[in-house]
Amino acid sequence: MTATFTRAAPYKDDILSLPVESVGEAIPYYEQIMGFSVISRSADPHQSAVLERDGIQMGLAENGGDPSQEGAFFEVDDVEAAFEELRANGFDKQDPGYRVDEHGDKSFRVFFVVAPDGLCYCIGEDVTSPK
């Protein structure tokens, strides 16, 4: 069972320019573990790549930013399926540590992923209204 990623939002400025030290070294994690595909690469003004999954996009860039201070929120249709899919793909976290976070008038059941490049991702399902 796989989850559908329905929305992405950066923690700070730009979902298409999340900072990494090496785009080339970072990409395999996103492809193999998180299920994204590279749709474009660029070297101008610096090395960068845009990745896509389920119609949503994110980008990695060697832009001098600090990956430990950046990341994104990915909304999914099924948070448990998302965790199990990542685990099946090689994600080594045993316990998802689910919790419910409030954002505005919505509640999300979430877990966190810290990629080897240092970026942190919150993956969550809207649990505001019963299904």
Side-chain angles (χ1 to χ4, degrees):
M1 180 182 212
T2 61
T4 300
F5 283 48
T6 60
R7 182 172 65 93
Y11 293 154
K12 289 187 179 177
D13 300 320
D14 187 358
I15 192 72
L16 295 177
S17 191
L18 299 173
V20 294
E21 186 174 314
S22 169
V23 169
E25 290 178 19
I27 286 174
Y29 183 84
Y30 295 93
E31 291 178 321
Q32 296 164 11
I33 304 298
M34 295 186 72
F36 281 86
S37 298
V38 174
I39 61 168
S40 69
R41 290 185 78 146
S42 177
D44 184 31
H46 42 256
Q47 292 293 322
S48 63
V50 175
L51 298 93
E52 184 175 75
R53 176 187 170 143
D54 300 326
I56 64 160
Q57 295 182 355
M58 65 171 291
L60 305 173
E62 295 175 20
N63 57 18
D66 181 357
S68 70
Q69 299 299 310
E70 215 5 318
F73 169 73
F74 292 116
E75 186 172 347
V76 296
D77 65 342
D78 185 330
V79 72
E80 290 178 9
F83 181 75
E84 290 307 319
E85 178 187 345
L86 268 59
R87 292 259 310 127
N89 291 344
F91 182 48
D92 61 2
K93 191 173 186 179
Q94 299 298 317
D95 177 10
Y98 295 123
R99 70 183 200 201
V100 175
D101 285 1
E102 307 294 326
H103 185 72
D105 61 349
K106 295 198 176 223
S107 300
F108 295 91
R109 185 166 184 231
V110 302
F111 69 93
F112 293 87
V113 173
V114 178
D117 54 36
L119 291 167
C120 179
Y121 300 97
C122 178
I123 299 176
E125 175 184 355
D126 185 347
V127 293
T128 306
S129 303
K131 289 183 179 179

